[in-house]
Amino acid sequence: MPDYDLIAILGPTASGKTPFAAALASELNTEIISADSRQIYRGMDLGTGKDLADYTVNGRQIPYHLIDIAEPNEFFSMHDFQRLAYEAVDDVRARGRTPFLVGGTGLYVASVTDGYVMSDTEPDLEYRAYLETMDTPKLYEMLRELRPEMEIDEKNRNRVMRMLERIHDGDDAVPAKKARFDSLRLGVSWPRDVLAKRIDERIDMRLEQGMIEEVQRLMDEGASVDFLLGLGLEYRFITQYLIGEIPDKDDMLAQLAHAIKKFAKRQMTWFRRNPDIIWLDMQGDAYGQACGEIEKFLKK
């Protein structure tokens, strides 16, 4: 049987998960564990949507976990995330609180809510360092040799490296599941046209705040081109613009907006596979609906 309760608030990019979850967390006097595969990195704020002001509600700081815990260029796997998330859940529970797991990285969320059973072996840091010496095309070639049937974005360096490490550790099969928690899953989403508008507005806002300059600063401070390209979306397209692969800024932004909307669609496809997710009516009383579902869940 699961040890105790966990509340997951999930959904696609630009859906407003974090401020919504923070408002609920304030009501329940609890803490948030981030499940975002890019917000783990320090100095990567605008391109990841990491607005720490979202964690302040009515002047009160909502405690958060697993944000700004790794340096650019550092490899970070789903296994790493799950281990740290389990530790964070235990930490929050030790204070008598029911933690919120909040994010849009589907595998990260599922690894915790579903309790993916992965190898108990410690990460092979020598193998990790070996992979870091190679460029992304070489890594992808290695993966194709090992698993030619696997469909994966060949430019997503982090994802390719994660899969190579899992294969190396013996975790290449679909993981078994052993849930540690009884999880309530609340989904935050919008009609496609509304979400598309939110994405466009967020890109404009981030550009005004200095998103291109952020990527340039990261490059100046030593973040590798391969690392930035591997993060995808904002970091991939802006890096391509800065190194001249996409010479026209307007063309880059148009490609970026299209890519983010496709990504949001893929996120929703992933989440829709799970019938246990309760989707909130964001154009109605989503907050009241969420409070009602949480109250029923905690009383069961």
Side-chain angles (χ1 to χ4, degrees), residues 31-276:
E31 306 176 27
I32 289 176
I33 300 168
S34 171
D36 188 298
S37 62
R38 302 191 304 170
Q39 291 189 7
I40 63 169
Y41 292 108
R42 297 185 184 94
M44 306 180 70
D45 304 327
L46 295 173
T48 65
K50 185 199 303 171
D51 188 351
L52 299 183
D54 286 343
Y55 293 93
T56 300
V57 180
N58 296 326
R60 175 175 174 264
Q61 174 72 53
I62 308 301
Y64 57 83
H65 305 261
L66 304 194
I67 290 178
D68 291 341
I69 59 172
E71 297 295 339
N73 296 332
E74 186 176 339
F75 178 58
F76 192 92
S77 70
M78 180 177 68
H79 199 165
D80 296 325
F81 172 78
Q82 186 195 55
R83 174 177 54 82
L84 293 174
Y86 282 162
E87 292 175 2
V89 169
D90 290 341
D91 183 38
V92 175
R93 289 293 307 183
R95 286 184 283 279
R97 297 170 174 173
T98 300
F100 279 19
L101 180 69
V102 181
T105 303
L107 276 172
Y108 278 22
V109 174
S111 74
V112 176
T113 56
D114 294 346
Y116 286 179
V117 178
M118 294 182 279
S119 170
D120 290 332
T121 58
E122 290 294 321
D124 186 338
L125 299 182
E126 288 187 7
Y127 184 70
R128 204 175 267 191
Y130 167 68
L131 295 178
E132 290 283 12
T133 65
M134 302 179 195
D135 61 20
T136 304
K138 177 60 177 176
L139 293 171
Y140 182 70
E141 181 183 336
M142 288 174 60
L143 182 60
R144 292 288 294 173
E145 288 176 358
L146 292 168
R147 295 291 184 273
E149 78 285 355
M150 185 172 289
E151 294 184 10
I152 193 168
D153 181 354
E154 64 185 89
K155 295 181 180 179
N156 190 329
R157 180 179 180 84
N158 285 356
R159 182 93 187 276
V160 173
M161 286 184 66
R162 283 199 297 269
M163 292 309 304
L164 284 169
E165 186 174 53
R166 286 181 62 191
I167 293 168
H168 178 73
D169 290 343
D171 283 338
D172 53 316
V174 176
K177 299 175 183 179
K178 187 178 180 181
R180 295 191 181 189
F181 319 114
D182 188 7
S183 299
L184 172 67
R185 301 166 177 86
L186 299 177
V188 175
S189 187
W190 301 84
R192 186 176 298 179
D193 60 331
V194 176
L195 185 61
K197 183 179 179 183
R198 290 175 63 91
I199 289 170
D200 288 334
E201 290 173 348
R202 192 170 73 166
I203 291 173
D204 290 342
M205 179 182 69
R206 290 180 181 179
L207 285 171
E208 292 177 6
Q209 293 173 332
M211 183 165 61
I212 293 176
E213 291 78 6
E214 175 179 277
V215 179
Q216 182 65 65
R217 173 184 57 76
L218 288 164
M219 294 174 68
D220 293 343
E221 292 176 354
S224 72
V225 167
D226 271 345
F227 171 77
L228 292 168
L229 292 175
L231 292 172
L233 300 179
E234 294 88 349
Y235 292 100
R236 176 190 295 178
F237 286 95
I238 292 175
T239 297
Q240 288 178 308
Y241 168 66
L242 291 173
I243 65 177
E245 286 187 6
I246 304 178
D248 184 79
K249 181 179 176 182
D250 289 339
D251 181 33
M252 180 272 289
L253 293 174
Q255 290 187 49
L256 172 59
H258 180 67
I260 294 176
K261 290 164 188 172
K262 284 183 64 177
F263 175 66
K265 183 179 179 181
R266 290 198 303 273
Q267 286 178 298
M268 285 303 299
T269 298
W270 169 276
F271 289 129
R272 293 289 188 193
R273 294 173 182 163
N274 189 335
D276 294 329

